[in-house]
Amino acid sequence: MRSSRNGNGSDVLVIGGGIIGLVTAWRAAQRGLRTTVADPGPGGGAARVAAGMLAAVTELHYGEQLLLGLNVASAARYPAFAEELTAASGQDIGFRACGTLAVALDSDDRAHLRELHALQQRSGLRSEWLTGRECRRLEPMLAPAVRGGLRVDGDHQVDPRRLAAALLTACERAGVVLHRDRAERLTVSGGRAAGAVLADGTELAADQVVLAAGSLSGRLAGLPDEAVPPVRPVKGQVLRLTVPPAYAPFLSRTVRAVVRGSHLYLVPRENGELVVGATSEELGWDTTVTAGGVYELLRDAHELVPGITELPLTETRAGLRPASPDNAPLLGPTALPGLLLATGHHRNGVLLTPVTGDVMAEVLTSGELPEVARPFAPGRFAPAAARVPAAPVSQEQPA
Ligand code: GLY
């Protein structure tokens, strides 16, 4: 364990108290590091909006095979992580081993899903091709138009709001100090990160600073150019409906599809909540819920599951995914000594929470980024001269 040079400071200051910042703080505190979190609303952020799919297999995209290795590693950690966090917080996080069904509505969709199936098989992932009739036997509310689908029994779900609340409690119980204010400026002293100044003027000193502020990570004042993370916001509008007991079970597992080129998913919770998402919009920091966004989601969901229009619509909300240039997170040391990143998780923040906590705690205590995270070191986006040396890794990742 590193020891703090700052008598009244922390070993670690985490800027950002979303699920990624909180899991980093919790895991760091568990390792004996004196840890502080700065965030005006800890437990908020994108997790307030996210559906909570743990979709390592069904969200596989071409060109993202490297990310697949990290996604699969984190999915494998989820059962034990959920158990440990529930014990530490006394709160259930809604982890549900429900599986996922990805379906096709027309022949183009079916061709796309067939290709995804082939890619999954080449990557060593388990999924099973079903006919339309077999899909409807599993999920009777599906439209007669469903032409086929992929059954993925290993893609589960968690409730991100409960996850965030449990992480906050676990942090408090582990002795993490929470400053409910915005970090305005990074402090740099002697060529290394030394803490941050909050909006109310409070100065926080720390041996190491973790920037985990989601899509806002690049906006912290005081960051030297070479350490500014290349993250941008990608807006997602999400709906929440309620399945009345008389309609249950409406869906028994996550159902997803690509409708007119847009990704659509319906995530049913045990408490009757049905989450429908999500738009994907490059509009800066705008979080307006629009009539068009709600219309498109409901129109597409209705095509997939016609009975959805009978359900009460209980919430509409928009959040911001923190996207990096290669859609993968930035984890570990930056070109500025003492400053680390845990951001850029894009579509996979909830899925990657367990592995991010483990990886960040390890690098904070030992200075070494674990092998599973080395392809995601921030230096991959830096100009060659500013790169932080990392051990060479193969492009091939085990599935
Ligand atoms: N992972 C789902 C989304 O980003 O919409």
Side-chain angles (χ1 to χ4, degrees), residues 241-296:
L241 297 92
T242 303
V243 178
Y247 285 59
F250 190 78
L251 295 174
S252 61
R253 73 203 68 221
T254 296
V255 170
R256 51 185 305 150
V258 179
V259 184
R260 282 180 280 272
S262 298
H263 288 270
L264 179 76
Y265 46 81
L266 292 84
V267 182
R269 302 229 196 281
E270 269 167 352
N271 65 4
E273 184 175 79
L274 178 67
V275 186
V276 179
T279 64
S280 190
E281 304 164 73
E282 303 261 1
L283 292 171
W285 280 272
D286 169 60
T287 52
T288 314
V289 174
T290 64
V294 174
Y295 165 72
E296 282 170 24

Side-chain angles (χ1 to χ4, degrees), residues 18-24 26-27 43-56 59 67 70-79 81-82 85 93-96 155-167 214 238 240 254 256 265 267 269 275 319-322 327-329 331 342-358:
I19 51 175
I20 295 300
L22 290 177
V23 78
T24 298
W26 178 45
R27 290 305 199 195
R48 297 292 307 158
V49 184
M53 290 178 297
L54 307 176
E59 283 214 357
L67 176 59
L70 193 67
N71 285 345
V72 168
S74 204
R77 291 174 202 213
Y78 242 103
F81 172 79
L85 182 54
I93 63 167
F95 174 69
R96 191 176 158 211
D155 275 3
H156 302 316
Q157 64 158 294
V158 71
D159 185 331
R161 294 178 180 178
R162 290 185 183 193
L163 170 65
L167 282 170
V238 174
R240 282 174 162 79
T254 296
R256 51 185 305 150
Y265 46 81
V267 182
R269 302 229 196 281
V275 186
L320 299 172
R321 305 173 182 91
N327 297 333
L331 302 172
T343 187
H345 291 69
H346 197 205
R347 295 185 309 268
N348 298 304
V350 177
L351 171 61
L352 291 175
T353 295
V355 76
T356 298
D358 294 346

